Amino acid sequence: MSSTDSKNIDLNDAQNSVIEPIKKALPIDIDELTTLVGISRDHDTINYTYSVKNTPEQALLLPSTIDTIRKKLLKAYCNNSDEMKELKKDFSDGVNYHYDINNQEIIIIELKSTDCKNN
């Protein structure tokens, strides 16, 4: 086995160690409107899927709403806690946050570690 293969296996294990415990705990209420309903990975990107309730689609699509959500997510993502450093190392291509209303995807907010340098 090449060192690249073993690195990939280690990375897969690291990624799974992040995803599996969260997956087992789903659904997780984030606040009164938002519930984390899914978590997955796509190569080196982690995907969180949230179900949003009691919110009209138009309200979620407002640029001001998207901007507020993005800023809040970016603040958490760019936090230099050990947990976030590990997440960024394990998922080097970033994080995608999917927001659904009635199982229909309304918005996706994509963050990459390079976004943190701009703040």
Side-chain angles (χ1 to χ4, degrees):
M1 182 165 20
S2 74
S3 64
T4 306
D5 288 343
S6 72
K7 237 187 226 149
N8 287 345
I9 290 168
D10 290 346
L11 185 59
N12 282 344
D13 288 348
Q15 290 175 340
N16 287 335
S17 74
V18 170
I19 290 173
E20 290 310 315
I22 296 173
K23 212 178 248 187
K24 287 185 178 92
L26 294 176
I28 301 168
D29 288 329
I30 304 300
D31 56 36
E32 62 276 0
L33 298 175
T34 318
T35 304
L36 180 63
V37 294
I39 184 169
S40 62
R41 71 186 174 103
D42 182 14
H43 300 290
D44 293 336
T45 302
I46 188 167
N47 292 285
Y48 295 100
T49 302
Y50 296 94
S51 175
V52 180
K53 55 186 180 269
N54 302 328
T55 304
E57 189 177 319
Q58 294 78 4
L60 197 56
L61 286 168
L62 284 172
S64 58
T65 304
I66 294 171
D67 192 48
T68 300
I69 294 170
R70 184 177 168 77
K71 280 184 177 145
K72 195 172 168 185
L73 293 172
L74 203 54
K75 185 176 182 201
Y77 182 66
C78 294
N79 178 333
N80 263 334
S81 67
D82 291 343
E83 198 178 312
M84 273 304 171
K85 283 181 189 164
E86 194 62 32
L87 187 79
K88 286 180 231 168
K89 189 179 87 177
D90 295 341
F91 298 95
S92 57
D93 290 343
V95 184
N96 293 339
Y97 299 89
H98 303 259
Y99 288 85
D100 298 1
I101 296 177
N102 299 326
N103 296 321
Q104 183 184 353
E105 190 168 81
I106 307 301
I107 58 172
I108 302 175
I109 295 178
E110 298 178 1
L111 299 180
K112 297 192 178 336
S113 53
T114 52
D115 293 333
C116 297
K117 294 181 180 86
N118 303 328
N119 281 327

